[in-house]
Amino acid sequence: MSRKYPNVIITGTPGVGKTTTAQELIEISKSSDSPSSSIPLKHLSVNKIAKEENFYESYDEELQTHVVDEDKLLDHIENLIANGAGEGGWIIDWHVCDIFPERWIDLVVVLRCEDTKTFYERLTSDRKAEGGEKRGYTGRKLQENIDAEIFGVIAEEAKEAWPNEGAVVELISEEAEQIEENAERIWEWCKRWVKDNPRDVDGEEG
Ligand code: DAT
C-alpha cells in the first residue's frame, strides 16, 4: 500500500445520509486547525460523476433509476484515484461498494437507518440534500430500498467484499446529531490511519 492518506467509502441504502455525512466530513477536515494533522480529503460523489459523465447504460422504468455502466465508471474513478501519485484521501460516496477493488479502500463505512418509520419518511420526502438526489420515492423503488435497509443488504455485501477484521464499520444515521458524530468518528479514524502508516521523504512506507 503506497497511499499517504486513507481512501474511505461511505456506503448504505439510498437515503441513509451518505452525501450529508461526506460533506460534513470534508468540512471538518477543512476546519482542522492543526497543520500536523491536516488531511486534504476529497469528496467523490459517484452519483454526481455518473450523471456528469453520462455513465448511464440504460434506464430501469420499474425502479425509476438509471443503470450505471460500471466499467466506464471504474475506469474513470481509477484515473482519479491514481492522480497526484495516488496520494489517497478520497471519500467515495455511493450505495454500491462491492464493485471497487478491495485494495483501493482502507475503510468501509456503512451508514444504517434501521428505524423504518424514519427511513420511510426520508425516502418519500421531496426534500433534496444539497448536491444530492431528489427523493419522493414511490412504488417498487420505495419498497426495494426499505427492504434492502431492513435486511442490511449493503452491510452484508461490504463484509463479503472486505472480510478483514475492522475493515467495515456500521454507523447509525437516524438522528440529526449523528451526522456530525459519524463524520467526527470517520475523521478521527483518518487521522489515526495517517499516524499508523507513516511515509519517509521518498514517499515509501516508513
Ligand atoms: P444518501 O446520500 O445516503 O442518499 P442523503 O445524505 O442525501 O442520503 O440524505 C437523505 C436525506 O436524509 C437528506 O434530506 C438528509 C436527511 N438525513 C440524512 N441523514 C440524517 C440523519 N442522521 N438525521 C436526520 N436526517 C438525515
Side-chain angles (χ1 to χ4, degrees):
M1 203 185 303
S2 58
R3 280 187 279 283
K4 194 167 168 191
Y5 308 115
N7 288 335
V8 176
I9 179 160
I10 301 180
T11 190
T13 317
V16 286
K18 299 180 292 295
T19 303
T20 316
T21 305
Q23 285 167 344
E24 180 68 27
L25 174 59
I26 301 295
E27 286 310 310
I28 293 172
S29 74
K30 282 186 190 155
S31 60
S32 161
D33 46 21
S34 153
S36 63
S37 65
S38 113
I39 308 175
L41 295 181
K42 302 164 285 268
H43 186 183
L44 201 162
S45 162
V46 176
N47 279 338
K48 200 162 153 232
I49 290 176
K51 189 173 176 191
E52 280 169 6
E53 303 288 333
N54 195 23
F55 289 152
Y56 295 145
E57 213 168 55
S58 56
Y59 187 78
D60 183 327
E61 292 288 346
E62 207 176 351
L63 285 178
Q64 306 153 52
T65 191
H66 290 280
V67 180
V68 170
D69 183 326
E70 292 183 354
D71 289 336
K72 280 189 190 160
L73 181 77
L74 278 178
D75 280 350
H76 183 87
I77 293 181
E78 185 170 21
N79 283 335
L80 280 182
I81 288 184
N83 269 343
E87 71 165 15
W90 290 100
I91 306 301
I92 302 176
D93 145 19
W94 206 28
H95 64 280
V96 181
C97 62
D98 57 358
I99 67 161
F100 297 106
E102 194 182 349
R103 67 179 187 284
W104 286 11
I105 310 290
D106 301 295
L107 177 69
V108 182
V109 176
V110 186
L111 296 181
R112 299 299 312 269
C113 183
E114 287 175 304
D115 183 284
T116 306
K117 185 167 173 283
T118 302
F119 195 54
Y120 180 91
E121 279 166 9
R122 259 189 232 168
L123 289 185
T124 52
S125 151
D126 242 342
R127 268 180 309 143
K128 187 174 172 176
E130 204 190 321
E133 186 194 352
K134 190 174 176 293
R135 310 276 157 190
Y137 288 6
T138 56
R140 230 189 100 194
K141 184 172 195 172
L142 175 63
Q143 196 54 52
E144 293 225 343
N145 282 296
I146 301 249
D147 288 350
E149 187 52 23
I150 290 171
F151 291 113
V153 170
I154 294 180
E156 284 308 311
E157 287 171 357
K159 286 177 208 159
E160 225 169 272
W162 283 271
N164 287 345
E165 182 79 30
V168 177
V169 172
E170 284 183 73
L171 299 176
I172 307 291
S173 175
E174 288 170 0
E175 316 275 338
E177 56 269 25
Q178 286 167 331
I179 294 169
E180 198 182 338
E181 281 169 22
N182 290 340
E184 279 288 352
R185 264 183 81 170
I186 303 168
W187 174 239
E188 291 303 321
W189 184 93
C190 288
K191 288 196 289 187
R192 203 170 61 236
W193 188 96
V194 171
K195 277 203 186 108
D196 291 346
N197 294 271
R199 254 91 267 285
D200 64 23
V201 279
D202 298 326
E204 297 297 324
E205 275 178 67

